[in-house]
Amino acid sequence: MRVRLLGPVDVTVGGAPRTFSGLRRKAVLAVLALHPGEIVSTDRLIDVVWGDRAPATALNSLQSHVSYLRRTIGAPAPIVARRPGYLLDLPAEAVDVGAAEHLIRQGTRSADHAHADTCLRAALDLWRGRALVDVAGPVWLDEQAERLERVRLVAVRALTDVRLALGEHARLVPELELLSQEHDLDEHIHEQLMLALYRAGRQSDALATYRRLRHRLGEDLGIEPGPTLRDLENAILLQDPALDPVPPAIEVGAGPAAVDHSGPAAARGSVPAQLPPAVRAFAGRGAELGRLDRLLGGFDGAGPPTPIIAAVSGTPGVGKTTLAVHWAHRVAGHFEDGQLYVNLRGFDAGGSVMDPAEAVRGFLDALGVPVERIPVGLAPQAALYRSLLAGRRILVVLDNARDPDQVRPLLPGSAGCLVLVTSRSQLTPLIAAEGAYPLALDPLPTVEARDLLVRRLGTARVAEEPHAVDQIIASCAGLPLTLAIASSRAATRPGFPLAALADELRSAAGALDAFDGGDPATDVRGVFSWSYRALSPDAGRLFRLLGLHPGPDISAPAAASLAGVPPRQARTLLATLARAHLLVEHTAGRFGFHDLLRSYAAELTRELESESERRGATHRLLDHYLHSAYAQARLLQPFRDLIDLEPARPGVTAAVSTDADAALAWFSAEHPVLLNAVARAADEGLHGHVWRLAWTMADFLDRKGHWRDWAATQETALAATRRLADRRAAASVHCGLGRARAQLGRFADAHAHLRLAAGLYGDLGDLAGQAHTDRCIAWVYSRQGRHRQGLAHAQRALGLFETVGDLAMLARALNSVGWQYAQLHDHGQALHHCERALVLLRRVGDRFGEANTWDSLGYAHHHLGNYRQAIACYRRAVDLFRNVGDRYYEADTLTHIGDSHHASGVPEAARQSWLVALDILDALGHPDAEQVRAKVHRTGQRPLPPRTPVPPVHALRRSDEAAFTGGC
């Protein structure tokens, strides 16, 4: 038998929990369990449990509570009557508090780090949440809960010290970063974080941690950090060898068989393989490849505990990306945990430089991190990224970087990874501060350039005309890009003498002025011009117009709209441009420019297209994205209110999807293009396109967790509505911006925008708009845990939807009201409103809304003790969530089914339901898996280990998210 206080108060007998009802009954047991083997007087029990409000019948009530506890625990009952009170006749270790304190004493006194680690972990495993969580209120018990929280923190600190001694500094960093946020004035935790960061090779981050704590202590308490922390800062500044971890002892006779080569990839889930295809005809660069190969020697353990960084720089077209990708493929086998790649678009001709936040988010997606786990903001996302890479061997290729500030958030924090950066800039600050190895690329020497032509044109053809080959190499300035274009031209005309090609290059005077080195031999515009002149008129026109596209890539329907031609013709023209190496089809159906070629296309557009043609093409392009995105948004959220669209211009082809999954895939592919399209529309003064494009993107950006993008597009949209003086559009944007701000945790801003939306809708007499806004406000209050205010606004929204007769939104509003009632423990009203919602949801065919409502009904029945009805409701919800393909909510509801089975006394059914939920959550890598695993563990069944260990990242509660869908 064990009494458990480190979480909800209960008793386990033979491993099976015995739960109790009633706060005062649990409080009596808690007081006795905190004094095991000691007599606690009835006066003391009454004083603790009732305090100053003890009734005259308190003694009789106490006796009744003790009798209830004895019956529930069963014979032999350990609660014994002893004058002048009662005694819990159990040893101290039979109470989880006593067992934890005993283990902590053993762990903190042990000189054996491994034994200490075992004891302290076992102690912390006894906590199931906040101690005495369900007996809050009595002052003495609240004080004991605080004391036990301090005991837990002592164990956490002690375990951290042990793990630092065992060399786990890299794994500790993310845990300590969270702890330091929770205990922002705790010097011991900050000391541990500084040491872990320093040992993980992050000296600057360790010093920044000290500065933040010093500032906080000064601001909040008016004091300086203690001498221990100041000494540690000084030692870090001096790189004191005493701070280095002590190497673990090596067991004599331990050979390779003793080492675990299973690798972190098997334990950590997704293994990315993002490298683009290697160039088939790669040639030369032997010296540069050798220098890169030598960097691999840094993984022999002799180097510093930091990632290895190589910075490859050079002029445009010199082959930086080609070299990086070629070498990355060559050494990929050294990085068993995967390869990450991103084009940072640092020198993108359209100005769409990739934000580091976008790159980090892409890497988190590639590493298999679910949306629910991804925190808000660049800093926490970068911290999660570094945590996932800690202890792994991953190659990271950061292509086309603009400057060190764009690169730094993407650098791993510990040894084991190699980062290959390419840039036109020399990245000198990265070399100075982060110790990057510089590798500057020059144009290919004649010998290597000739080898490149041999590989593309064949030995015989090159050998036939050596003089012409030398002329071609000279005209191409030894740049691999221009050599590739020239050789492509020659390869497609096998009977064409190379001398004629050399003459064309030499006579194509004039170049891209920005890349003119002052010498005709370094002028690349000639290469582009003759390649362009070889195109058909239609292909040449499309190439020119592509200079108007905001980037980073384009689909065939978008290209068709840009040129005003049928999609089939656009696909043919795109394929022609790709074969001419003027475009690259980097993903099936999506085409991109090299930035030099984009600049050249933009020059041609300005020179050869009239102002009216350029504006017409841009308008068609933006019409394509607006009408396509609107159609996809309607598939994602069919019950959302419509907005007015002007008809698309002639020649526009809208993308078509057949279902919500296809719509989601379309948005995912076009996401960066749509963000650029909003900005381009604003630049062009097409303000109606701006706010409507932002409207179409809202549900996608919300569902995928791109809340910063959502807020940014809504800000741009708000400026557009002001220029249009369109009050109805402004109301819609204020409502959307309020939702976005709430998702970012900026609740004051959210309420401010929603108040403005409500005012505008009120002035317009738009009852539906007011209803949507009130429902938004209710959702924000729910996010804040302010359910009474949320209920008031949900009820107001309900009344307005009844007035306007919108059945779909009326049904969702009924569920919102029901959910708010459930959170306020008025489960009768919750059932009433949710049952009404269900009837309407079935009528309008809203399956997702119906699933959420069945879940709400199950929640209410469970808390009323109607477990059989709760399970029936939850099962209906599970079936619907499976039909709509929502795996997370399916698992969440299966967990609820298990809870109801458990509460109704059917533990085996509960365990089976939890195991199914656990399998889904593990597959998703969702943090809720650990809570479900704990439930399974408490049944006495050993649960399966997690598929993907998850750093402790706060996820949004379902009650916050599922209660709101659709709206502004």
Side-chain angles (χ1 to χ4, degrees):
M1 179 184 298
R2 169 164 284 181
V3 182
R4 302 193 299 180
L5 308 179
L6 301 177
V9 175
D10 67 8
V11 171
T12 61
V13 180
R18 305 279 176 89
T19 55
F20 310 95
S21 62
L23 184 149
R24 291 197 172 93
R25 293 166 174 170
K26 296 177 184 178
V28 171
L29 177 60
V31 175
L32 294 173
L34 287 165
H35 301 84
E38 301 177 20
I39 298 172
V40 182
S41 70
T42 54
D43 289 342
R44 176 62 176 159
L45 284 166
I46 291 170
D47 182 57
V48 170
V49 175
W50 280 273
D52 296 333
R53 299 182 179 180
T57 58
L59 181 59
N60 289 335
S61 296
L62 174 62
Q63 293 169 344
S64 174
H65 293 338
V66 169
S67 297
Y68 167 85
L69 292 170
R70 287 170 169 165
R71 288 195 307 273
T72 305
I73 294 171
I79 302 176
V80 181
R82 296 276 177 86
R83 291 179 182 270
Y86 295 94
L87 169 146
L88 183 66
D89 191 14
L90 290 173
E93 285 75 22
V95 179
D96 60 359
V97 172
E101 290 174 334
H102 175 71
L103 287 165
I104 293 169
R105 284 194 298 272
Q106 281 189 315
T108 53
R109 293 172 183 174
S110 176
D112 181 347
H113 293 318
H115 179 252
D117 181 271
T118 300
C119 291
L120 292 167
R121 286 182 188 273
L124 288 169
D125 285 344
L126 293 173
W127 265 268
R128 297 167 290 119
R130 182 174 174 81
L132 304 169
V133 66
D134 50 354
V135 290
V139 175
W140 186 80
L141 287 174
D142 286 346
E143 291 171 350
Q144 291 301 303
E146 289 296 327
R147 178 184 72 83
L148 292 171
E149 182 60 22
R150 291 192 295 272
V151 169
R152 190 190 67 82
L153 187 58
V154 166
V156 169
R157 290 170 174 163
L159 179 59
T160 301
D161 285 334
V162 170
R163 293 175 66 189
L164 283 168
L166 290 170
E168 294 185 30
H169 35 270
R171 295 182 182 179
L172 277 167
V173 167
E175 300 172 30
L176 286 169
E177 285 175 334
L178 286 173
L179 269 177
S180 67
Q181 294 170 16
E182 295 169 5
H183 305 279
D184 57 353
L185 298 175
D186 190 309
E187 293 193 30
H188 190 169
I189 290 173
H190 282 79
E191 175 189 343
Q192 293 172 325
L193 174 57
M194 288 170 63
L195 185 58
L197 286 166
Y198 177 79
R199 288 180 175 177
R202 295 167 59 184
Q203 181 184 17
S204 59
D205 288 344
L207 295 171
T209 298
Y210 176 85
R211 290 193 296 271
R212 284 195 300 271
L213 177 63
R214 182 184 181 189
H215 174 76
R216 197 174 293 119
L217 289 171
E219 286 287 315
D220 293 356
L221 304 178
I223 62 174
E224 287 286 316
T228 303
L229 212 57
R230 293 199 300 270
D231 289 345
L232 177 58
E233 184 214 22
N234 189 54
I236 290 173
L237 284 167
L238 297 174
Q239 297 185 358
D240 189 340
L243 296 180
D244 293 337
V246 178
I250 300 175
E251 183 179 343
V252 176
V259 180
D260 180 10
H261 289 291
S262 59
R268 292 198 174 187
S270 181
V271 178
Q274 292 189 307
L275 295 178
V279 176
R280 181 178 59 84
F282 182 85
R285 301 298 189 198
E288 291 85 352
L289 291 170
R291 290 180 61 186
L292 290 172
D293 285 342
R294 286 192 287 276
L295 295 180
L296 295 175
F299 291 107
D300 61 6
T306 58
I308 296 170
I309 306 168
V312 180
S313 62
T315 190
V318 79
K320 301 179 294 294
T321 297
T322 300
L323 172 71
V325 172
H326 176 80
W327 185 79
H329 277 285
R330 197 166 87 164
V331 301
H334 291 270
F335 301 90
E336 65 269 19
D337 294 314
Q339 307 88 41
L340 296 170
Y341 172 90
V342 63
N343 177 5
L344 293 171
R345 308 196 301 268
F347 295 89
D348 184 79
S352 59
V353 178
M354 181 178 287
D355 190 298
E358 181 184 351
V360 170
R361 175 58 194 272
F363 281 170
L364 293 177
D365 289 342
L367 291 163
V369 182
V371 172
E372 295 84 2
R373 281 187 50 210
I374 298 177
V376 176
L378 173 59
Q381 287 183 5
L384 175 58
Y385 163 73
R386 291 192 297 269
S387 302
L388 291 169
L389 265 59
R392 302 174 78 170
R393 286 176 71 99
I394 288 183
L395 175 62
V396 182
V397 180
L398 306 178
D399 194 18
N400 196 10
R402 188 171 188 84
D403 52 41
D405 289 339
Q406 193 186 24
V407 169
R408 286 189 173 111
L410 308 176
L411 297 177
S414 56
C417 295
L418 189 147
V419 183
L420 191 57
V421 188
T422 73
S423 178
R424 294 181 189 175
S425 168
Q426 292 182 338
L427 300 176
T428 304
L430 199 68
I431 296 166
E434 276 79 14
Y437 294 85
L439 180 61
L441 293 188
D442 294 322
L444 289 174
T446 301
V447 173
E448 293 187 354
R450 183 178 285 107
D451 186 31
L452 188 152
L453 293 176
V454 167
R455 290 173 180 267
R456 290 176 175 268
L457 301 177
T459 303
R461 191 173 182 192
V462 171
E464 280 179 6
E465 301 183 75
H467 180 66
V469 167
D470 289 341
Q471 285 184 322
I472 292 170
I473 292 171
S475 295
C476 290
L479 295 176
L481 171 66
T482 53
L483 285 165
I485 295 174
S487 62
S488 174
R489 166 86 166 164
T492 58
R493 300 165 67 182
F496 196 86
L498 295 182
L501 178 59
D503 290 340
E504 282 188 11
L505 283 174
R506 188 171 58 253
S507 63
L512 290 165
D513 295 336
F515 306 110
D516 185 354
D519 184 334
T522 61
D523 182 0
V524 299
R525 183 185 273 114
V527 174
F528 295 155
S529 68
W530 57 252
S531 189
Y532 160 74
R533 286 200 305 270
L535 298 171
S536 67
D538 286 343
R541 176 174 177 267
L542 177 59
F543 177 76
R544 295 193 302 273
L545 293 177
L546 286 170
L548 299 170
H549 190 271
D553 58 9
I554 192 168
S555 65
S561 301
L562 177 67
V565 300
R568 177 177 295 181
Q569 182 181 353
R571 282 190 287 270
T572 301
L573 295 175
L574 289 168
T576 299
L577 295 175
R579 285 194 299 271
H581 292 277
L582 294 172
L583 286 182
V584 175
E585 189 176 9
H586 62 88
T587 301
R590 302 198 68 83
F591 297 81
F593 268 128
H594 185 284
D595 43 18
L596 286 177
L597 289 166
R598 185 185 294 276
S599 297
Y600 181 60
E603 282 188 7
L604 291 174
T605 308
R606 290 190 295 270
E607 292 172 6
L608 302 177
E609 305 294 338
S610 67
E611 171 65 26
S612 62
E613 174 58 22
R614 294 198 303 270
R615 186 162 180 81
T618 300
H619 203 142
R620 286 194 302 272
L621 181 71
L622 294 173
D623 273 357
H624 159 78
Y625 286 119
L626 175 57
H627 285 265
S628 299
Y630 184 78
Q632 315 303 317
R634 293 291 296 145
L635 287 171
L636 285 184
Q637 185 50 266
F639 299 101
R640 191 177 180 191
D641 275 359
L642 305 180
I643 58 173
D644 294 329
L645 292 187
E646 293 182 2
R649 288 194 165 197
V652 171
T653 300
V656 177
S657 297
T658 56
D659 54 35
D661 288 341
L664 193 62
W666 184 89
F667 270 118
S668 296
E670 299 288 0
H671 173 206
V673 183
L674 291 171
L675 296 179
N676 291 340
V678 170
R680 176 61 60 84
D683 292 341
E684 296 289 330
L686 298 173
H687 304 302
H689 283 69
V690 172
W691 80 262
R692 290 180 175 90
L693 273 170
W695 183 95
T696 65
M697 298 168 66
D699 282 317
F700 165 76
L701 295 174
D702 188 17
R703 181 179 297 194
K704 299 297 287 185
H706 296 295
W707 297 313
R708 290 176 61 194
D709 289 344
W710 188 14
T713 55
Q714 292 292 323
E715 290 282 6
T716 306
L718 189 58
T721 62
R722 288 169 179 158
R723 291 184 175 91
L724 291 168
D726 187 333
R727 300 174 73 201
R728 189 176 302 279
S732 174
V733 173
H734 276 300
C735 190
L737 190 52
R739 288 173 57 200
R741 292 289 186 226
Q743 291 287 36
L744 290 167
R746 295 173 58 178
F747 296 116
D749 285 352
H751 283 296
H753 283 290
L754 290 168
R755 283 195 297 271
L756 289 169
L760 287 168
Y761 280 130
D763 293 343
L764 293 166
D766 187 338
L767 297 182
Q770 292 178 62
H772 284 300
T773 306
D774 271 307
R775 190 160 168 262
C776 287
I777 294 170
W779 170 75
V780 175
Y781 276 130
S782 182
R783 290 287 312 277
Q784 295 176 280
R786 299 166 64 182
H787 295 293
R788 291 203 178 278
Q789 295 95 322
L791 176 60
H793 282 276
Q795 289 173 325
R796 176 177 163 81
L798 177 61
L800 289 169
F801 281 129
E802 285 178 334
T803 300
V804 299
D806 186 334
L807 290 184
M809 296 312 301
L810 173 63
R812 292 190 175 192
L814 281 165
N815 186 44
S816 298
V817 171
W819 180 257
Q820 299 284 3
Y821 271 123
Q823 299 310 297
L824 293 168
H825 310 295
D826 190 341
H827 300 296
Q829 283 291 337
L831 289 174
H832 171 69
H833 286 82
C834 291
E835 286 167 352
R836 288 180 60 199
L838 198 59
V839 174
L840 295 178
L841 289 163
R842 286 170 168 169
R843 186 183 305 174
V844 299
D846 185 351
R847 292 188 299 162
F848 187 78
E850 186 181 345
N852 278 316
T853 304
W854 278 116
D855 181 76
S856 299
L857 287 166
Y859 181 92
H861 279 301
H862 177 94
H863 287 83
L864 287 169
N866 303 326
Y867 301 123
R868 181 175 297 178
Q869 294 95 318
I871 291 167
C873 293
Y874 284 143
R875 283 176 174 160
R876 297 293 295 273
V878 166
D879 290 341
L880 287 163
F881 282 132
R882 283 175 180 162
N883 287 336
V884 299
D886 199 312
R887 295 282 284 163
Y888 168 68
Y889 287 156
E890 177 188 345
D892 189 54
T893 310
L894 283 166
T895 304
H896 297 164
I897 290 176
D899 294 341
S900 294
H901 276 307
H902 188 267
S904 63
V906 190
E908 179 57 26
R911 187 179 68 84
Q912 291 297 331
S913 186
W914 288 333
L915 284 171
V916 176
L918 183 59
D919 188 58
I920 297 172
L921 292 170
D922 276 343
L924 295 173
H926 197 281
D928 284 3
E930 295 312 308
Q931 300 173 22
V932 180
R933 200 179 317 282
K935 293 175 187 284
V936 176
H937 183 74
R938 288 195 291 271
T939 66
Q941 175 74 19
R942 184 181 179 87
L944 295 172
R947 295 184 183 180
T948 305
V950 179
V953 177
H954 292 294
L956 293 173
R957 296 293 301 161
R958 170 160 180 211
S959 58
D960 296 333
E961 294 305 294
F964 188 86
T965 48
C968 305

